[in-house]
Amino acid sequence: MSSTVDKVRAYVTKRMKEELPLDLCFHDWDHTSVVVDACHRIATTSQISEQDYEILMIAAWFHDLGFIHQYQGHEKESQKMAESFLRSIHFDDKRLPEVISCIEATRMPQSPKTFLERILCDADMAHLDSPDYLNRLALLRKEWLIKLGKAFTDRDWYTESLNFLEQHRYFTLAAEGLYHDGKIKNINKLKKLISKGNWKPL
């Protein structure tokens, strides 16, 4: 790992652990660390260059830091914070736009254009294959209620989540290979929950 990525990791970790709102229960430091790990897995499988790997990892660490300041539109805040910090450590100005565009691509609905953007977007959705997916889903539901005032019945929540998983497609072959099977298992879990009306996580 490059010294720049080490500096970014330390900076983002400190700020997230000290400044993220306590009611941010899904988009927390744990989520960011999962995204970073997923970027590493996808990038390793894809065999990207060291320079591209550095850009990707910087963007992965910064992509949700803007939640410190605001919930909706946090991507713009993340971009500002990334630019400010990277300039402070004299990061190459010519490569800075790549970091910014990667962060922007994670805005929902995702709209990646470059290969690095596609990797980061896929890493941001790596949790869709997690064995702990239903518990993570419960945390997202709680976060949306607190931050957006969105309330769902159990059936509506699981139905919407199922629709999202069924329509979702990974942008890279590497992510499809790594996460597709787990995502299918979670689709089947949601279908079972909906059909049985059993709202306890399986």
Side-chain angles (χ1 to χ4, degrees):
M1 187 178 295
S2 74
S3 61
T4 299
V5 175
D6 283 338
K7 292 175 184 177
V8 167
R9 174 188 53 77
Y11 174 77
V12 171
T13 297
K14 185 176 188 297
R15 293 208 62 179
M16 278 193 155
K17 291 191 172 182
E18 293 180 357
E19 299 178 56
L20 274 181
L22 295 178
D23 56 6
L24 205 69
C25 49
F26 180 88
H27 290 100
D28 52 11
W29 182 87
D30 288 337
H31 169 72
T32 291
S33 66
V34 167
V35 172
V36 169
D37 288 344
C39 278
H40 173 74
R41 292 186 69 194
I42 298 169
T44 300
T45 303
S46 304
Q47 298 180 334
I48 65 175
S49 69
E50 289 185 12
Q51 186 178 60
D52 282 348
Y53 181 80
E54 182 179 61
I55 294 290
L56 177 66
M57 299 307 282
I58 292 170
W61 276 113
F62 270 109
H63 84 285
D64 275 349
L65 189 60
F67 277 120
I68 287 174
H69 296 306
Q70 64 188 57
Y71 195 78
Q72 292 182 292
H74 72 275
E75 296 90 356
K76 287 298 181 186
E77 291 299 315
S78 298
Q79 292 167 39
K80 292 176 185 177
M81 297 166 85
E83 181 173 1
S84 176
F85 178 76
L86 292 172
R87 288 190 185 283
S88 76
I89 62 171
H90 308 293
F91 185 71
D92 187 351
D93 283 349
K94 293 179 181 179
R95 298 165 62 204
L96 186 55
E98 293 181 75
V99 175
I100 301 304
S101 66
C102 280
I103 296 171
E104 178 63 26
T106 64
R107 185 188 302 275
M108 297 298 291
Q110 294 176 328
S111 57
K113 296 178 179 63
T114 69
F115 189 57
L116 292 185
E117 291 171 19
R118 293 198 292 271
I119 292 176
L120 181 55
C121 285
D122 283 349
D124 206 16
M125 293 294 154
H127 67 281
L128 300 183
D129 101 310
S130 172
D132 194 41
Y133 170 73
L134 291 180
N135 290 323
R136 295 296 300 168
L137 199 59
L139 292 175
L140 181 61
R141 181 182 182 181
K142 179 180 178 181
E143 187 177 286
W144 279 12
L145 178 61
I146 294 169
K147 294 295 188 180
L148 301 176
K150 290 186 176 181
F152 297 83
T153 66
D154 289 338
R155 181 173 293 278
D156 286 347
W157 176 250
Y158 287 118
T159 299
E160 181 166 313
S161 300
L162 175 61
N163 290 338
F164 180 82
L165 259 65
E166 289 185 325
Q167 293 172 17
H168 173 266
R169 297 291 182 272
Y170 287 110
F171 296 105
T172 64
L173 290 175
E176 184 70 14
L178 289 166
Y179 305 119
H180 174 77
D181 290 349
K183 186 175 75 170
I184 294 300
K185 289 179 182 178
N186 287 325
I187 286 174
N188 291 332
K189 286 180 183 179
L190 288 171
K191 286 181 177 178
K192 190 175 292 186
L193 276 171
I194 293 169
S195 66
K196 290 187 175 181
N198 175 15
W199 308 120
K200 294 180 181 179
L202 300 180

